[in-house]
Amino acid sequence: MKATASRRVTHAILLAAGMALAAVAVVADAPDALAQSSSRRAWLGVELAPGTGGGVVAKHVVTNSPAGKAGLSDGDLILAADGIPLEEPRQLVARVALLGPGNTIQLKLRRGSTDKQATATLVQFPGDEQLLRLDKIGTFAPTWKQPLDAVSGTVPSSISGLRGKVVLLDFWATWCQPCRMMSPQLSKWQTTYASQGLAVVGVTTDDVPTATRTAQALSMTYAVASDAQAATMSTYGVRALPAMFVIDKKGVIRDVLVGYDPMRHAELEKLVQTLLAEPAPTP
């Protein structure tokens, strides 16, 4: 069962990563795409989906990305790039890769019944953590895509159930060694600051029995939930584990940490203390 769960989560992360490559418009379909260094990848910052009857859909535009700064919005239909009609996402992916960082791309859009023109200046792919920071910091934390299954502790039915608390939302997996290394620190923060209004929530795509065994083995003192279909993980744009979102009392994401980095723990704890001192939002 554990091996099956691990394979499922690994598949989910790889799938999300593949979607992210399409989203940033690097050469996801080229044979040498994954061999390119991040510094050589051109980034547009839009997750693409096939259109119906021509064009490609901007499924999600990353906040503060070149696409976002150019005025693209979620749901826009991208009809052409530099005058070349688009029929499928890989055409835009290839065009962005050909142009490279520092160059501009002209996009023809359709929003509702109105056609628009947009010019985006491509940049280097910022990396997984910076991409999340650009897209999520300063925005309201998305609610669970579907109800999470409680593994231990109290897991609210939606993120709004944590409004008024400072939240550390940690995405992890039982097979992820850095995630396991992070759990004692999360437990320590939960124990130290729970009385002041901190709520630590760990979300894993492992099934409940597998997650329960690991939560018990690691003595996790905080709430743990299973997101078996990776729906919430995808909503938060997580492609690498562990990934932690620091959410203030109003429900706004204030910081993002990807990976296990003890050098940032003091900085993160100071932020938690600052957020705990902020007044609770008015009803």
Side-chain angles (χ1 to χ4, degrees):
M1 178 67 73
K2 184 174 181 179
T4 301
S6 297
R7 286 195 296 269
R8 182 176 67 248
V9 178
T10 302
H11 173 74
I13 292 176
L14 290 175
L15 177 61
M19 291 172 61
L21 290 179
V24 298
V26 299
V27 213
D29 296 299
D32 62 341
L34 298 181
Q36 297 184 33
S37 67
S38 295
S39 63
R40 293 176 56 198
R41 297 178 184 173
W43 189 56
L44 178 59
V46 53
E47 181 182 341
L48 305 173
T52 56
V56 296
V57 177
K59 186 177 178 181
H60 174 60
V61 178
V62 175
T63 306
N64 296 315
S65 68
K69 292 177 180 178
L72 273 72
S73 299
D74 293 358
D76 282 347
L77 183 65
I78 307 175
L79 300 171
D82 291 334
I84 303 170
L86 300 175
E87 299 292 336
E88 54 185 17
R90 72 178 63 193
Q91 290 175 280
L92 181 53
V93 169
R95 182 62 185 170
V96 169
L98 179 65
L99 289 171
N103 292 301
T104 60
I105 185 169
Q106 304 289 328
L107 301 173
K108 181 180 179 181
L109 315 173
R110 179 166 296 159
R111 186 176 300 165
S113 59
T114 304
D115 287 358
K116 299 175 176 288
Q117 298 289 332
T119 301
T121 301
L122 305 174
V123 299
Q124 296 175 356
F125 176 60
D128 289 333
E129 179 167 350
Q130 184 60 15
L131 190 155
L132 276 180
R133 294 177 66 84
L134 288 169
D135 194 31
K136 300 302 184 185
I137 290 179
T139 68
F140 282 99
T143 193
W144 321 140
K145 190 68 174 179
Q146 59 191 34
L148 300 176
D149 296 319
V151 172
S152 62
T154 302
V155 179
S157 59
S158 70
I159 192 71
S160 62
L162 295 169
R163 195 66 51 85
K165 291 183 175 290
V166 175
V167 180
L168 296 182
L169 182 61
D170 181 62
F171 289 89
W172 68 286
T174 60
W175 49 265
C176 166
Q177 188 59 32
C179 301
R180 299 169 76 96
M181 294 168 65
M182 188 66 199
S183 67
Q185 181 64 69
L186 293 173
S187 290
K188 180 180 178 181
W189 284 332
Q190 175 67 33
T191 300
T192 303
Y193 297 107
S195 62
Q196 299 178 42
L198 177 69
V200 178
V201 180
V203 177
T204 176
T205 53
D206 288 292
D207 57 38
V208 171
T210 303
T212 298
R213 289 192 295 271
T214 302
Q216 292 174 348
L218 296 176
S219 301
M220 293 179 174
T221 62
Y222 47 92
V224 178
S226 173
D227 174 32
Q229 302 303 316
T232 296
M233 184 178 76
S234 177
T235 298
Y236 275 79
V238 174
R239 293 176 302 281
L241 298 174
M244 185 194 307
F245 296 81
V246 184
I247 304 168
D248 69 16
K249 294 178 181 179
K250 297 178 181 178
V252 176
I253 296 173
R254 300 286 287 269
D255 204 355
V256 177
L257 176 65
V258 177
Y260 177 70
D261 184 2
M263 299 295 291
R264 287 196 61 192
H265 289 177
E267 169 193 343
L268 192 60
E269 185 168 6
K270 184 175 180 180
L271 174 60
V272 167
Q273 293 169 344
T274 299
L275 297 181
L276 287 171
E278 292 182 348
T282 55

